[in-house]
Amino acid sequence: MQQQLGQQTGQRHRYLAFAAALFLITGASLSKGPNGDDKEIITRLQGEVLVLQRQIRDLQESFDKWQVKSETSLNNLGSASETSARTLSSIDDKLQRNQGSQANAVAGVNAHLVKISEQIATNNRQVSQLGQNIDFLKQSLQEFQRKLQEQESRNIRQNTPNTDDQEIAFSQAYLKYREGDYDSAVNLFRVYLKTFSQTEKSDDALFWIAESLAAQGRLAEALTEYDGLLAKYPGGDKVASARLKKGLALLQMERRQEGVDALKSVVSLHPNTQESELAKAELVRLGEAKR
């Protein structure tokens, strides 16, 4: 660009030198005393020179303006180029950072997926083991039921209770209770208590004896059994049920105040139990709920 500007400046100087030369030639001709035709020619040439000078001046002004605009445009272009370069560099940095962040995110997701896969595999193994345990329990239960049925069949034929296995003896008595054969249930539970003395299910046997008696309307006898359970097994798992059923039996016998007191003892001694909720409901029905 600077080379072009130098060439144009040289042309402008050549135009000026040509115009000066014309003035010198014209002046020299006038000093020799030109004739009329020569004067006319000289005058015309002088006019053309003046026009040429004005054109050269206008051209110089246009060139100066163009040069200023060109320099401004070049400066702006340079600034724009620098800005673009900085912008491109910033974009490149951001792209590199984003690629790094995405790579880290993908790595984190992959690691999490691996952990999930491992957990699923562990759960599957546990489910498989649980299924095997359930199958084993089912088989054991079926075997126990088979033995119980065989023993029950033998006992029916012999009309005697089982005295060899306490689990079978208890199940045999409870089966009679479930079938509604309450007399047989009472007898078998009493044989169980006499034969095996103190077991984890001794309080249960007493409770079902009382329930069998109550189911037959033998409420006084049932109360005796409930009280016997509460006295012998105060820490047993049937205590709350025994107190509740005692209260209901007393109400059936029209011993209202004793029944109400028994139900209130369930609420106070066994809070947050199903028996307590049933006792509260019965007290509300009786109009004895606490206010």
Side-chain angles (χ1 to χ4, degrees):
M1 180 64 70
Q2 291 179 351
Q3 184 178 2
Q4 291 177 351
L5 292 176
Q7 290 176 353
Q8 291 174 354
T9 302
Q11 286 181 343
R12 187 165 64 251
H13 290 164
R14 285 194 293 272
Y15 288 141
L16 292 175
F18 175 70
L22 287 176
F23 277 115
L24 290 174
I25 293 170
T26 304
S29 299
L30 289 174
S31 63
K32 294 179 181 180
N35 56 29
D37 294 333
D38 292 335
K39 288 181 178 181
E40 183 178 352
I41 291 171
I42 291 171
T43 300
R44 188 170 61 253
L45 288 173
Q46 287 177 342
E48 291 177 357
V49 169
L50 291 174
V51 171
L52 181 61
Q53 286 177 336
R54 283 196 300 272
Q55 291 177 347
I56 291 172
R57 185 174 60 253
D58 293 341
L59 181 61
Q60 179 65 39
E61 291 177 356
S62 297
F63 175 78
D64 291 340
K65 290 180 182 179
W66 175 83
Q67 185 177 14
V68 172
K69 290 181 180 180
S70 297
E71 291 177 355
T72 302
S73 298
L74 287 173
N75 292 332
N76 292 337
L77 182 59
S79 299
S81 298
E82 292 178 0
T83 302
S84 298
R86 288 194 298 270
T87 302
L88 288 173
S89 177
S90 176
I91 291 173
D92 184 60
D93 292 339
K94 289 180 179 179
L95 286 174
Q96 291 179 356
R97 288 196 298 270
N98 289 338
Q99 289 175 350
S101 299
Q102 290 175 357
N104 293 334
V106 170
V109 170
N110 289 336
H112 188 60
L113 288 174
V114 169
K115 290 182 178 179
I116 291 175
S117 299
E118 293 175 351
Q119 186 62 44
I120 290 174
T122 302
N123 291 341
N124 288 338
R125 289 194 296 271
Q126 292 175 348
V127 169
S128 177
Q129 183 63 41
L130 181 61
Q132 294 176 1
N133 293 340
I134 291 174
D135 291 339
F136 176 77
L137 290 175
K138 286 181 178 179
Q139 293 175 359
S140 300
L141 180 59
Q142 290 172 355
E143 181 64 20
F144 177 77
Q145 289 175 340
R146 185 184 64 78
K147 290 181 179 180
L148 180 61
Q149 289 173 354
E150 291 177 355
Q151 184 65 39
E152 180 68 14
S153 298
R154 287 196 297 270
N155 290 337
I156 290 174
R157 290 193 300 270
Q158 299 173 2
N159 197 24
T160 57
N162 183 286
T163 57
D164 298 327
D165 190 310
Q166 65 179 14
E167 291 293 334
I168 293 178
F170 186 91
S171 298
Q172 180 182 355
Y174 184 70
L175 181 62
K176 291 296 182 181
Y177 171 80
R178 292 292 301 272
E179 291 175 347
D181 187 355
Y182 299 119
D183 286 333
S184 296
V186 169
N187 292 332
L188 290 173
F189 277 123
R190 291 194 189 284
V191 170
Y192 173 86
L193 291 171
K194 182 179 179 180
T195 302
F196 301 104
S197 186
Q198 298 296 321
T199 69
E200 291 182 357
K201 292 187 176 181
S202 293
D203 58 334
D204 295 59
L206 272 178
F207 178 79
W208 293 118
I209 289 173
E211 287 290 276
S212 297
L213 294 170
Q216 297 177 83
R218 299 159 63 182
L219 298 178
E221 296 177 65
L223 284 176
T224 300
E225 300 299 335
Y226 289 134
D227 287 334
L229 187 157
L230 295 172
K232 292 181 180 179
Y233 307 102
D237 59 357
K238 290 295 184 181
V239 172
S241 297
R243 281 199 173 92
L244 175 66
K245 292 303 183 70
K246 176 183 176 179
L248 296 176
L250 287 167
L251 291 174
Q252 283 184 272
M253 298 171 68
E254 298 184 355
R255 295 163 63 178
R256 178 186 174 93
Q257 189 56 51
E258 292 177 79
V260 168
D261 291 341
L263 293 177
K264 288 182 177 180
S265 69
V266 175
V267 175
S268 60
L269 296 175
H270 309 285
N272 303 319
T273 62
Q274 183 179 7
E275 290 81 2
S276 175
E277 295 301 319
L278 293 172
K280 288 178 183 178
E282 184 64 18
L283 290 170
V284 170
R285 188 186 69 80
L286 296 170
E288 296 288 342
K290 292 182 179 180
R291 296 177 174 81

